[in-house]
């Protein structure tokens, strides 16, 4: 179990620091809570000072009654739980891929395609040769620009089961090397070593050159492209909760716009792609047949255009929009609604003194005394006058930028209570990406040659590796002196004796 602390430093920057990694024998919520409390108490950190907690969506973490977050809230009611946004986005994409049958079939066939091409070193080499020959041909006819860093040799990327960002990369690489993959498959069909290889390559080539495959490939590139921008933003260490919700809202709007206006452009791109590669296009005006043995179950005859636009395109986008709305519900939580009253976007258009005072009184009452709550209203009234005439407080886009400007201009000394409230909001976690990176670092440090590494040494090594920014500030001589002060050593005695 990796533990990461999130806080706001003196300059107003959000910091997420790897703190410790603990070996747990059980993953039930009581065991995890005990281990976390032991680590915090060992460093004189009180559970009562926790103002936010973030985990993935496992039941032992997010359980409403017996989950880890519920146990901490029982002990500290101000430790508000946020389900990792990046994890929720992944669940949204997984649900969408399983909801619509053509999309699920596309990803199944995509995995078969990549396994067939990438499982053989010979085919990988053939793919590289075909790619190099096609690049040279396009350059010769002036259809491809040349320059430093352009036209580099890539590989067909394999989609991962736990990270749906890799599916977007896989589809993009498929677009780039589509013709080259087709040529490799044709070569396997004609000259494969076994009949099994030839028949499998023939089957993969058939669905890869079908209109259904090309349509879903273009559609999922667009949808996953929207999600990729959001995913990259959610994994930033310095992301704040209000800005993350804004990004989620923007992504929902882009999906809705794509649903309303995206079909014509999508179909045009697919038709251009198919015409350039001699892929047969279906007649969109003929009656659609649902498949062998299922024609009698169709109550109303529909055209091919209706099937692809309604049953594939709109069904997929609607499923994505619905999942986004169901899994990102933070906009209805009162805490975040009141917190948005401090957001500086559009020159503090949402600024509301009553809501901000209610936020401090209801959700952070332990951090403000009764006297400070009265002073907070006075500070807010003065601050409202100042941000309307102070150019340094205008044109800010996030709560973190506001916190940094207050610290840089030393206005945080004048508006201490406002600054404190902003820092409490910024402490709310957005995602567990930093924790995931810690596990990736552990795989680099604890290799098969270091499999017997002790837990303390592993944790210390990970801290030095992950927090390089802090480790670079250490003075080697001071470390040697501290090591020397721990106890007297035999080598030190012999050295002093020889000198004398």
């Amino acid at each position: 179990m990796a533990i990461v602390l999130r806080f706001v430093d003196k300059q107003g920057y959000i910091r997420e620091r790897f703190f410790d990694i603990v070996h747990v024998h059980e993953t039930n919520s009581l065991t995890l809570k005990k281990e976390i409390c032991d680590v915090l108490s060992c460093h004189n950190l009180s559970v009562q000072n926790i103002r936010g907690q973030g985990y993935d969506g496992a039941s032992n973490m997010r359980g409403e009654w017996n989950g880890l977050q519920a146990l901490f809230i029982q002990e500290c009611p101000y430790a508000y739980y946020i389900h990792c946004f990046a994890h929720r986005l992944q669940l949204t994409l997984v649900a969408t891929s399983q909801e619509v049958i053509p999309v699920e079939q596309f990803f199944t066939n995509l995995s078969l395609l990549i396994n067939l091409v990438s499982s053989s070193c010979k085919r990988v080499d053939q793919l590289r040769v075909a790619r190099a020959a096609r690049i040279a041909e396009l350059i010769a006819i002036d259809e491809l620009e040349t320059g430093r860093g352009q036209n580099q040799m890539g590989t067909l990327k394999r989609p991962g089961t736990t990270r749906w960002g890799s599916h977007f990369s896989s589809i993009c690489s498929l677009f780039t090397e589509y013709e080259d993959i087709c040529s490799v498959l044709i070569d396997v069909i004609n000259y494969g070593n076994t009949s099994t290889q030839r028949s499998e390559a023939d089957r993969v080539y058939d669905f890869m050159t079908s209109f259904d495959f090309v349509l879903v490939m273009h559609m999922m590139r667009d949808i996953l492209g929207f999600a990729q921008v959001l995913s990259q933003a959610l994994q930033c260490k310095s992301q704040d909760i209000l800005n993350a919700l804004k990004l989620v809202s923007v992504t929902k709007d882009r999906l809705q716009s794509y649903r309303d206006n995206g079909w014509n452009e999508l179909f045009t791109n697919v038709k251009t792609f198919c015409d350039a590669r001699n892929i047969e296009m279906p007649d969109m005006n003929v009656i659609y047949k649902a498949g062998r043995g299922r024609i009698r179950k169709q109550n109303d005859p529909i055209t091919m255009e209706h099937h692809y636009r309604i049953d594939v395109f709109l069904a997929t986008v609607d499923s994505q929009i619905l999942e986004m709305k169901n899994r990102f519900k933070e906009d209805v939580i009162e805490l975040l609604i009141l917190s948005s009253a401090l957001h500086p976007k559009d020159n503090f258009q949402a600024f509301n003194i009553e809501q901000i005072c209610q936020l401090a009184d209801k959700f952070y009452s332990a951090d403000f005394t009764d006297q400070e709550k009265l002073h907070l209203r006075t500070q807010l009234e003065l601050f409202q006058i100042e941000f309307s005439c102070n150019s340094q407080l205008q044109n800010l886009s996030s709560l973190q930028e506001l916190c940094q400007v207050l610290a840089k201009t030393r206005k945080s000394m004048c508006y201490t209570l406002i600054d404190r409230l902003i820092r409490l909001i910024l402490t709310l976690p957005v995602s567990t990406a930093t924790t995931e990176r810690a596990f990736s670092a552990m795989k680099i440090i604890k290799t098969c040659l270091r499999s017997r590494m002790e837990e303390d040494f592993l944790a210390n090594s990970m801290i030095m590796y992950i927090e390089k920014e802090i480790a670079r500030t250490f003075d080697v001589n001071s470390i040697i002196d501290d090591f020397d002060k721990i106890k007297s050593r035999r080598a030190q005695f012999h050295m002093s004796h020889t000198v004398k």
Side-chain angles (χ1 to χ4, degrees), residues 80-98:
Y80 302 111
Y81 165 67
I82 302 295
H83 180 190
C84 172
F85 276 41
H87 184 252
R88 269 187 273 186
L89 179 61
Q90 177 176 317
L91 293 177
T92 300
L93 297 173
V94 171
T96 302
S97 68
Q98 296 174 347

Side-chain angles (χ1 to χ4, degrees), residues 280-347:
E280 184 179 357
M281 289 277 297
D283 187 352
M284 292 295 171
N285 297 318
V286 302
I287 299 300
Y288 168 73
K289 296 181 180 180
R292 292 190 299 270
R294 289 188 291 171
I295 185 62
R296 294 179 182 177
K297 296 182 180 181
Q298 294 181 208
N299 297 324
D300 299 324
I302 59 174
T303 62
M304 296 290 284
E305 192 272 341
H306 181 279
H307 165 68
Y308 287 115
R309 184 173 63 86
I310 304 298
D311 298 338
V312 179
F313 174 72
L314 290 183
T316 303
V317 181
D318 286 344
S319 175
Q320 179 77 4
I321 294 174
L322 181 62
E323 287 294 327
M324 289 282 290
K325 290 180 179 179
N326 290 338
R327 297 188 183 275
F328 291 91
K329 293 183 178 180
E330 262 60 33
D331 53 338
V332 300
I333 294 180
E334 187 178 7
L335 168 62
L336 297 178
I337 291 177
L338 297 178
S339 299
S340 63
L342 271 169
H343 203 291
K345 65 178 180 179
D346 300 327
N347 293 330

